[in-house]
Amino acid sequence: DGGITQSPKYLFRKEGQNVTLSCEQNLNHDAMYWYRQDPGQGLRLIYYSQIVNDFQKGDIAEGYSVSREKKESFPLTVTSAQKNPTAFYLCASDSYYGYTFGSGTRLTVV
Amino acid sequence: AQRVTQPEKLLSVFKGAPVELKCNYSYSGSPELFWYVQYSRQRLQLLLRHISRESIKGFTADLNKGETSFHLKKPFAQEEDSAMYYCALRSGSSNTGKLIFGQGTTLQVKP
């Protein structure tokens, strides 16, 4: 059953801590994306990757980092430099027909 | 600058009433536009894309380049249509590429 798997579903981070959100796909898509979803602000692009070992910053990349060592995987690290990390994070992969989204990770700073 | 605007945060209608969710865009090239929907407790999913010109779940959307709009319409709303709807614009000339999303409109269909 093809799709995108994000884990964990819920994540709690302490102040000053880095955390990594996982995103895996078995759709054989080249392009993958990370978005942040906040109420009233829609989806804002954090990072994207169109091919293995290459990625670009999106509109709100500060305080985040990514890697793309395998086609199937595009993990997102939320660093301590991100001032307001509490949000819902969505991963997506892309084909001609449009995006396929994961179920999301809700990150809360405690 | 490329931008997608959904002017309504919340649209509330009664069951059986017509629905129109507005979407305006700014883009200098030839746009590719989408509507995505997020039902409660479900993941965001594609509803329709303008180049396929199809009707999904009774919804249609027509690209109006003169008015730079891509409004989503349904003649008779159902309670199961209640969800968050996002309009999105694909930038770039390739068949894949990053999407720019609007702020989203919550559709509430009352019984």
Side-chain angles (χ1 to χ4, degrees):
Chain A
D1 189 22
I4 295 191
T5 301
Q6 287 187 244
S7 62
K9 197 169 183 178
Y10 299 96
L11 187 57
F12 296 90
R13 191 194 94 169
K14 294 181 180 179
E15 295 279 354
Q17 195 178 42
N18 292 357
V19 291
T20 297
L21 284 60
S22 169
C23 178
E24 304 278 331
Q25 56 107 349
N26 60 4
L27 299 166
N28 201 34
H29 291 166
D30 286 313
M32 297 185 74
Y33 304 82
W34 274 104
Y35 285 85
R36 172 177 168 145
Q37 188 179 26
D38 296 284
Q41 298 195 55
L43 277 69
R44 294 181 290 166
L45 183 63
I46 304 172
Y47 267 98
Y48 62 104
S49 167
Q50 294 184 310
I51 199 167
V52 174
N53 291 323
D54 188 42
F55 48 83
Q56 285 80 40
K57 293 182 179 180
D59 301 317
I60 56 166
E62 185 176 349
Y64 300 98
S65 65
V66 293
S67 63
R68 187 84 187 278
E69 297 175 3
K70 299 186 300 181
K71 189 174 187 176
E72 302 79 17
S73 179
F74 190 41
L76 173 74
T77 296
V78 184
T79 75
S80 57
Q82 169 49 235
K83 296 288 183 278
N84 184 23
T86 294
F88 191 59
Y89 292 86
L90 284 170
C91 179
S93 69
D94 194 10
S95 73
Y96 170 76
Y97 300 100
Y99 281 11
T100 300
F101 281 92
S103 56
T105 293
R106 186 165 298 281
L107 174 63
T108 304
V109 173
V110 296
Chain B
Q2 299 157 6
R3 178 178 289 183
V4 176
T5 303
Q6 294 177 248
E8 303 137 329
K9 279 190 177 178
L10 172 66
L11 183 63
S12 187
V13 302
F14 285 101
K15 178 182 172 182
V19 169
E20 182 178 68
L21 287 82
K22 292 185 172 20
C23 172
N24 290 90
Y25 67 90
S26 61
Y27 184 59
S28 56
S30 184
E32 187 177 359
L33 287 144
F34 302 79
W35 276 99
Y36 283 82
V37 60
Q38 190 171 32
Y39 300 103
S40 178
R41 302 186 188 283
Q42 293 187 30
R43 61 182 69 192
L44 200 58
Q45 58 187 281
L46 177 66
L47 181 61
L48 54 81
R49 44 201 291 256
H50 88 272
I51 62 173
S52 58
R53 302 186 65 81
E54 51 195 349
S55 172
I56 305 293
K57 299 186 179 183
F59 284 97
T60 59
D62 289 318
L63 178 61
N64 186 322
K65 291 187 178 181
E67 296 183 359
T68 60
S69 69
F70 188 56
H71 303 328
L72 184 67
K73 300 178 184 179
K74 186 170 182 176
F76 307 104
Q78 303 299 315
E79 289 182 68
E80 55 265 30
D81 296 328
S82 296
M84 173 71 87
Y85 291 80
Y86 288 98
C87 182
L89 167 74
R90 196 201 295 280
S91 63
S93 57
S94 68
N95 288 334
T96 61
K98 59 181 180 177
L99 292 182
I100 298 164
F101 286 85
Q103 301 92 326
T105 298
T106 299
L107 174 63
Q108 184 183 76
V109 181
K110 296 179 284 190

